[in-house]
Each structure stands twice: as C-alpha cells, then as structure tokens.
Amino acid sequence: MGIMAKARGKALCWPRVIATVEVEGNQYFPPDAIRKEYFKASEAHSVCPWKGTANYYDSGSDGKRNAGAAWFYPDRRMRPKQIKGYVAFWKGVKVER
C-alpha cells in the first residue's frame, strides 16, 4: 500500500488524497493522477546513478509556465521499479502527506 498524499494544483485530476510511492522523500503519483493537457514534455533530463534518467514536464495554466515542475523515470530497467512512469513534483507544487 502506498503513502496517502495530495498535491495542490489545477494540473492534477483529483484534489483529494491518493496513494503514492515515496522514494527519497519524494511522493510519486500515478500517471493518471495528472491532467496531461497542463503538462508539456521538457527537453530537460537528469541522471540518478540508481534510478536512471529522469524526464521532466513543464506545467502551466492561465498563461503561466512552471518549467521542470514535474519529473518521472520512464526506463523499465530503473530501480525501484514501482515508480516507473509515476510523476513527482517540485518548484511551486505543494505536496501534502
């Protein structure tokens, strides 16, 4: 069972608490927890030696852009496998547990 958490923002499907996976203090939300129309794939990437390469999303609504506001690990070879495709937030997105 995941940790129950909530992220505040218009870009999320549910303004309610949902099950997440916690890794290194970050809450990873299921991919269907975000409203894709508010996210655009970013050219930014970062590499973690044990989780692999992270891809980023820019988010935005009402004419405001939040560059690199969310990230995810798409590679199925990464560890831990339970966060593959799950989305974590930072840069202005408040996550509550």
Side-chain angles (χ1 to χ4, degrees), residues 5 25 27 32 37 42 45-46 50-51 63 70 72 74-75 85 89 93 97:
Q27 301 303 316
D32 61 355
E37 66 268 23
S42 170
H45 300 283
S46 62
W50 70 283
K51 290 182 294 211
F72 66 100
D75 191 342
F89 300 96
V93 178
R97 288 180 37 186

Side-chain angles (χ1 to χ4, degrees), residues 11-14 29-37 39 57 87 89:
L12 298 169
C13 287
W14 304 294
F29 289 77
D32 61 355
I34 65 169
R35 296 175 62 188
K36 299 279 189 194
E37 66 268 23
F39 290 87
Y57 287 124
V87 181
F89 300 96

Side-chain angles (χ1 to χ4, degrees), residues 5-67:
K6 172 171 62 174
R8 293 187 184 266
K10 188 175 185 177
L12 298 169
C13 287
W14 304 294
R16 62 181 169 81
V17 177
I18 60 172
T20 61
V21 176
E22 183 174 327
V23 176
E24 295 182 322
N26 295 305
Q27 301 303 316
Y28 286 82
F29 289 77
D32 61 355
I34 65 169
R35 296 175 62 188
K36 299 279 189 194
E37 66 268 23
Y38 290 107
F39 290 87
K40 180 181 177 191
S42 170
E43 295 295 319
H45 300 283
S46 62
V47 178
C48 172
W50 70 283
K51 290 182 294 211
T53 300
N55 292 357
Y56 288 80
Y57 287 124
D58 296 339
S59 71
S61 64
D62 302 325
K64 297 177 183 173
R65 180 173 169 258
N66 188 354

Side-chain angles (χ1 to χ4, degrees), residues 21 23 28 50-51 73-86:
V21 176
V23 176
Y28 286 82
W50 70 283
K51 290 182 294 211
Y73 293 93
D75 191 342
R76 66 180 174 269
R77 294 173 294 162
M78 51 76 65
R79 303 239 187 274
K81 292 190 183 300
Q82 70 265 30
I83 64 168
K84 178 186 177 274
Y86 275 47

